[in-house]
Amino acid sequence: MRYILFVFTLLFSQLVFAQKLQTFDGPYEDGRALYTFYEGKDGSFVLHGTFTFKKLNYIITGGFKHNRMDGCWRGHYLNKKSGKEYKETIHFKKGVVDGTYKLIFQTPKRVERVQAMVCNNRFVGTATRILKGDTISIIFDGNGFPDGQWRRRDTYYTYTEDYSHGLFLRSLYIDDRTGERRVRENQDSEISVMDFLQAYDSIKQTAVVDGKEFVSDIRKEHKGLLELAFYNYGCTFRYLPNKLKSEIENLPYNVPFIHIRSKSGYTSWDALDKKIEETEASFPGGYREMMNFMINEMRYPQTVKEDVEGKVVVRFTVNEDGTISDVKIVRSLSPEADQEVMRVISKMPRWTPKMVNKTPVKSDFTLPITFKLK
């Protein structure tokens, strides 16, 4: 009887809740949206149910559960004039990416396909990018760390990188035309990765080799084969209205890599606990001055004003003397927008470099820049 009463109460509550859902169909920021919602206790709209957003050449569809993205979301962009088309699928579970990710990008001359598995906002298992004559396959362990052999097979060469749960072991380049082979072992630390792994104490989380103690740091990066494989990751979803971008900004993008560092030079356990004084690199005058600089210098490319807006993500190196180098686009919007971003970044004045124990060191800086029509 209790079970029957519980089921009846559950069904009744769902029925009452369903009756409270309302539908919105009209202008939404700079596009048009159709979605269902209910009013929260504070009178705000709580998205719940299907959601569709249309603007210019693209359409995004998905679903919400109590204001959190949930289920399968699809983005479709089509420019009939250029023939460029994106089809992207991302699965969400209670606001985090969880499930299969797929991307198809095609133009009249090329077709690119990307597929990956994401679990709780981390890449897991095998991910692939297939382009005519160019295939990339990368592997992640259950915690999202690079693992196993990463491989790129091009028309003329094969390139592989070997990892062990985030640790880079070695790379191998083979030129299929000449038979040339180039091997690069991990040389980022004083010891080899294999020595570190063999001596690693999982309880102390350190390794002692030749009387020296080593530990590993986790750094989230987006580089190499990873950058190539997910070059267009999240490309259609950058067009989502600003109201919804908070969760999309958390798409898994940077991946945790492990780097070995030495504790040598410290002579006692007390010294091992010595804090490292570290300050990050900064623009002259701080973040606000950097934003003012970007606003004053940036010019929206005239050639893309009609149908392109979104985000460019740029990465660059701040050298020991504060100069800028190695400017790279890690998330593209369009060739014109990318070029403008690189131009402005290259014009930046000298930064205050990153300091470690009062010593200037090189550091990488990643900056998202939004192009938005007014």
Side-chain angles (χ1 to χ4, degrees):
M1 182 63 183
R2 289 182 178 178
Y3 174 74
I4 295 174
L5 181 61
F6 171 76
V7 173
F8 176 77
T9 303
L10 180 62
L11 291 174
F12 179 76
S13 64
Q14 289 177 340
L15 179 62
V16 171
F17 177 74
Q19 289 175 341
K20 294 181 180 179
L21 284 179
Q22 303 178 54
T23 300
F24 173 86
D25 184 2
Y28 194 83
E29 288 196 9
D30 49 359
R32 188 175 184 85
L34 170 64
Y35 60 86
T36 54
F37 68 96
Y38 65 90
E39 289 190 18
K41 292 181 179 180
D42 59 354
S44 61
F45 285 8
V46 179
L47 300 182
H48 188 84
T50 58
F51 180 92
T52 301
F53 181 75
K54 296 180 180 180
K55 177 187 172 185
L56 296 176
N57 300 326
Y58 63 89
I59 178 172
I60 297 174
T61 60
F64 281 89
K65 282 188 179 179
H66 310 296
N67 243 15
R68 289 184 173 184
M69 290 179 169
D70 200 83
C72 180
W73 279 72
R74 291 184 171 89
H76 183 210
Y77 172 89
L78 174 61
N79 188 319
K80 294 182 179 179
K81 184 177 180 180
S82 66
K84 181 187 293 186
E85 182 176 20
Y86 290 93
K87 293 180 180 179
E88 196 167 19
T89 303
I90 299 180
H91 287 80
F92 286 85
K93 185 176 181 181
K94 295 182 179 180
V96 299
V97 184
D98 195 293
T100 305
Y101 167 77
K102 293 182 179 180
L103 166 72
I104 299 176
F105 166 58
Q106 57 187 18
T107 68
K109 295 183 178 180
R110 60 180 283 186
V111 178
E112 176 184 343
R113 298 177 186 272
V114 177
Q115 181 164 325
M117 180 61 69
V118 184
C119 179
N120 195 25
N121 229 36
R122 297 189 301 261
F123 290 117
V124 295
T126 302
T128 57
R129 170 183 174 266
I130 301 174
L131 186 63
K132 184 179 180 181
D134 187 359
T135 300
I136 295 175
S137 176
I138 57 182
I139 305 171
F140 302 90
D141 66 13
N143 293 313
F145 288 93
D147 200 33
Q149 186 173 88
W150 290 23
R151 175 182 293 266
R152 183 181 189 185
R153 183 73 173 88
D154 200 289
T155 306
Y156 302 111
Y157 71 88
T158 300
Y159 175 75
T160 62
E161 294 177 352
D162 293 329
Y163 291 91
S164 176
H165 303 292
L167 275 170
F168 170 72
L169 304 178
R170 69 189 64 82
S171 66
L172 172 63
Y173 171 89
I174 302 176
D175 191 319
D176 296 332
R177 295 165 297 180
T178 64
E180 177 190 3
R181 297 168 63 91
R182 293 201 297 266
V183 179
R184 181 172 71 88
E185 300 286 343
N186 186 320
Q187 297 177 343
D188 292 338
S189 65
E190 299 177 35
I191 60 171
S192 72
V193 172
M194 296 310 298
D195 288 341
F196 178 85
L197 293 174
Q198 290 173 5
Y200 187 71
D201 185 324
S202 59
I203 297 178
K204 293 182 178 180
Q205 297 185 339
T206 61
V208 178
V209 179
D210 295 332
K212 294 182 180 180
E213 189 173 24
F214 296 86
V215 296
S216 58
D217 287 332
I218 296 177
R219 305 175 195 168
K220 288 195 171 184
E221 300 172 288
H222 187 74
K223 62 180 184 179
L225 292 184
L226 181 70
E227 182 176 331
L228 289 172
F230 294 105
Y231 181 75
N232 287 313
Y233 183 72
C235 57
T236 59
F237 291 90
R238 64 182 175 224
Y239 294 113
L240 271 173
N242 291 326
K243 296 178 182 178
L244 308 178
K245 282 187 176 178
S246 59
E247 289 173 350
I248 291 297
E249 295 298 336
N250 293 324
L251 288 175
Y253 192 62
N254 291 326
V255 166
F257 289 81
I258 293 178
H259 297 264
I260 301 171
R261 65 179 177 86
S262 171
K263 282 189 173 181
S264 61
Y266 295 100
T267 57
S268 68
W269 284 102
D270 292 335
L272 290 176
D273 293 330
K274 181 180 178 181
K275 292 183 179 180
I276 297 176
E277 296 181 8
E278 184 173 292
T279 57
E280 296 299 325
S282 61
F283 187 89
Y287 185 80
R288 180 171 292 182
E289 286 301 316
M290 180 174 68
M291 290 297 97
N292 290 335
F293 174 85
M294 299 297 294
I295 292 171
N296 293 332
E297 293 293 332
M298 192 72 68
R299 300 293 179 266
Y300 201 106
Q302 295 293 325
T303 54
V304 297
K305 265 196 172 180
E306 293 185 0
D307 63 352
V308 175
E309 60 179 17
K311 181 177 294 184
V312 175
V313 179
V314 61
R315 186 173 67 224
F316 53 89
T317 298
V318 180
N319 297 306
E320 295 94 331
D321 60 356
T323 56
I324 303 297
S325 65
D326 298 328
V327 182
K328 295 178 63 177
I329 300 296
V330 296
R331 180 175 292 190
S332 172
L333 177 61
S334 73
E336 297 84 359
D338 297 349
Q339 186 175 2
E340 176 63 11
V341 169
M342 294 185 70
R343 182 190 71 81
V344 174
I345 295 297
S346 298
K347 285 187 62 178
M348 281 184 169
R350 291 194 180 213
W351 285 43
T352 300
K354 179 177 181 177
M355 304 292 286
V356 177
N357 291 337
K358 299 182 180 180
T359 301
V361 297
K362 282 186 178 182
S363 63
D364 291 331
F365 197 90
T366 301
L367 182 65
I369 299 171
T370 300
F371 285 82
K372 188 174 178 63
L373 296 173
K374 295 183 179 179

